Amino acid sequence: MTIRSAPEMIDSQYTNYLDFILNNYNTIDRKEDNRLQWWKEAKFGLFIHWGLYSKLAGRWKDKEINGLGEWIMYFGKIPIKQYEVIAQEFNPSDFKAHEWVKLAKDTGMKYLIITSKHHDGFAMYHSKCSKYNIVDATPFNRDPLKELANECHKQGIKLCFYYSHAIDFHHPHAFRNDIFHPNRKTWNFEVYLEEKVKPQLRELLTNYGEVSMIWFDMPEQIEPKYSKQIKELVLSIQPECLIGGRLGHGYEDYVSMGDNEYPEVVYDFPWESVGTINDTWGYKEYDINWKSSNDILRLLTTIIGRGGNYNLNLGPTSEGVIPKPSCEVLKEIGEWMKKNGEAIYGCQGSPLTYNVAWGAITTKTNRIYLHVYDSENEEIELLGICSRVKWAKILSNNTSIDFQQIIEKDRKEIKVKLPQNIRSKYITVIVLEFEDEIKVEMTNEVAGYITLVPSNATVHRAKTDSRLQVDKRGIAINWVNVEDWLSWEIELTKPGDYEIEIITRTQKYNARWKGEWFGQHQFLIEMGEQRINCKLQEDKRVRPTELYYYDNIISKCGKVRINKKGKHQFKLKPIWLNTELNLGPKVCFVQLKKLD
Ligand code: GLC
């Protein structure tokens, strides 16, 4: 079977990203394969974007250049000759490998990924196959990756290299570089692969001791045979080295989400989310949109709670200094991690079948960790857990917590009393220790709410030109054909009136997506005999704290009356879709709220 990359899923037989992963990843998490073990245990890593672009810091010829800092050569259309000159002044005399690695360690991160060569093509280490590198082309005359490698090995942090294998603005035969090579007559990716990618990977895997992962990027245009060759090369030199989630075509060891993205649901295959601490990866002097330590901790716990790993990025300056606000945030995260690390390292995502509104859940052996962000209520309720709780405590200080548990045929309920000071600055972790292995029953009903996510839906596709997909995050996308629809089977424990809301996602910052929210889509909801016509309009806009790029739009869709408990079919069928920009509504979930 040919291996497709995510965008090519469209027109393929897969409507759900989960099915796609399970059918197309030929290497992912093979059971006999222990290579991923350290990574699954580690959970939290540091990402560092550092290169010539850090020197420009987001400005070219005194103009602020839009877009990500490390892409400045591209967005500023800086000709190669002019960009090369930056190297002559790149002298990070304040760079201290010891401090960078110690920062990662003190923050509770277990691995470090640093850009060895980004899209600009400049090697941040001593490469023998291209003079365009930090030792030969700058006055610095040191190999910072060598120094980082030594420190990582000394301080017990796993060393990983980012390597841009498909895009290289400097090399004439790589992707996305036409504007830099206007006089190029021929183009042959293999020339770039053989001349630069393979020799440089050999150097990185030979001269820096143990390398725990190569983090590839932007595989959109690469052919499967080249992804395969790259993987084989890496494993032939260091068989234990992990293949990052963006090599392309299923040759990766795990799934990498889009930048700053994570799924709506828990995934039990290995996946990661990479995130920025402000809005850029490479340093931009005027990007001061720093997330707070609390924001990052919410992201971290949400991601671990959905089964992923989190790599948080820093963009140091060209002097080798990590911006102070980032250091302060990391310091506070480190303090939290020292007390609460047990609820992160080696943990799996929530065993429950629904998301909780008050925070996130992680689990390990016989324990469940409740990461409480804030809660207006005095207690929190967990439904569907069949195993018996032994005790409940606050993880950071061992204080016992009161709880009640009911285990009956139709009712499995744990109520945990929240301490008074739960609205303190940071997330409070409550541990529940169970008598034996944790067993859970399917339930999509949480304290009066039923949440229906597209990744658990049955996708009904139009006979022709069906485009509806459930993407990596579990969101329904490309809903532009009115004959595509979704259905869910739901189990209700209480009859009564339910209010229906449809929650769609819209982009907040990125200009490319501006105007994406056109709304007004019309749907028909069917439940048993009942039919409800509704229009998706912006009744409320919420900005979940853990989402920095998106807003959720809540549309109120009316009420259904359910006369008996038990199983019901819920159908969501479009009547009219606004297909402006060919996008349609991005449906995150449908919520049914019980009315008293
Ligand atoms: C994107 C960007 C790249 C960045 C990466 C980090 O792929 O193109 O500049 O390094 O995200 O995840």
Side-chain angles (χ1 to χ4, degrees), residues 182-194:
N183 302 323
R184 187 176 63 195
K185 298 258 169 352
T186 57
W187 184 87
N188 181 353
F189 184 75
E190 262 177 44
V191 176
Y192 163 62
L193 188 73
E194 296 301 331

Side-chain angles (χ1 to χ4, degrees), residues 487-530:
S487 73
W488 290 265
E489 181 162 288
I490 54 179
E491 175 123 37
L492 292 178
T493 50
K494 299 175 195 114
D497 288 343
Y498 286 81
E499 189 174 65
I500 304 169
E501 287 176 345
I502 296 182
I503 289 82
T504 44
R505 177 72 48 89
T506 187
Q507 188 86 6
K508 179 169 68 160
Y509 290 129
N510 199 324
R512 270 195 300 153
W513 274 279
K514 271 222 175 96
E516 179 196 21
W517 173 254
F518 293 100
Q520 308 303 319
H521 315 275
Q522 288 168 38
F523 280 91
L524 173 70
I525 291 167
E526 285 181 24
M527 228 180 141
E529 300 292 287
Q530 297 177 67

Side-chain angles (χ1 to χ4, degrees), residues 201-249:
L201 287 173
R202 266 188 216 108
E203 292 174 337
L204 290 166
L205 289 158
T206 313
N207 302 334
Y208 297 85
E210 187 184 322
V211 178
S212 298
M213 182 198 309
I214 305 280
W215 204 95
F216 298 100
D217 199 13
M218 301 287 287
E220 286 74 10
Q221 288 144 299
I222 198 168
E223 284 179 50
K225 63 179 179 194
Y226 299 131
S227 297
K228 182 165 184 274
Q229 285 177 22
I230 293 173
K231 176 174 179 139
E232 284 166 0
L233 172 80
V234 172
L235 297 187
S236 72
I237 306 172
Q238 294 211 26
E240 296 298 310
C241 181
L242 293 184
I243 308 294
R246 298 186 185 175
L247 174 62
H249 307 285

Side-chain angles (χ1 to χ4, degrees), residues 315-351:
T317 69
S318 62
E319 285 84 41
V321 176
I322 297 174
K324 214 163 159 232
S326 314
C327 291
E328 283 162 7
V329 165
L330 263 62
K331 190 164 175 277
E332 289 173 6
I333 297 168
E335 281 160 18
W336 185 90
M337 286 292 286
K338 270 190 205 95
K339 298 188 204 121
N340 298 290
E342 183 194 314
I344 300 289
Y345 304 124
C347 279
Q348 288 171 323
S350 168

Side-chain angles (χ1 to χ4, degrees), residues 74-167:
Y74 188 84
F75 291 118
K77 299 197 176 60
I78 309 175
I80 290 181
K81 287 281 164 266
Q82 292 181 39
Y83 193 84
E84 280 175 352
V85 175
I86 307 163
Q88 294 170 15
E89 286 176 20
F90 190 87
N91 194 2
S93 48
D94 291 330
F95 167 69
K96 294 187 186 74
H98 168 79
E99 284 180 11
W100 288 19
V101 176
K102 186 165 181 304
L103 181 65
K105 198 168 175 166
D106 290 348
T107 311
M109 292 146 156
K110 302 288 187 186
Y111 53 106
L112 181 152
I113 311 168
I114 175 125
T115 43
S116 61
K117 185 210 78 165
H118 206 271
H119 306 335
D120 63 359
F122 187 76
M124 288 298 282
Y125 71 98
H126 195 194
S127 173
K128 301 279 159 38
C129 67
S130 157
K131 285 265 171 239
Y132 197 43
N133 74 71
I134 189 161
V135 177
D136 295 317
T138 78
F140 187 50
N141 207 23
R142 278 158 57 189
D143 181 341
L145 297 202
K146 190 77 172 197
E147 294 174 24
L148 279 170
N150 292 341
E151 276 301 327
C152 280
H153 296 139
K154 203 157 104 194
Q155 297 191 40
I157 293 288
K158 296 271 188 190
L159 171 74
C160 313
F161 292 130
Y162 170 108
Y163 190 87
S164 175
H165 64 309
I167 298 182

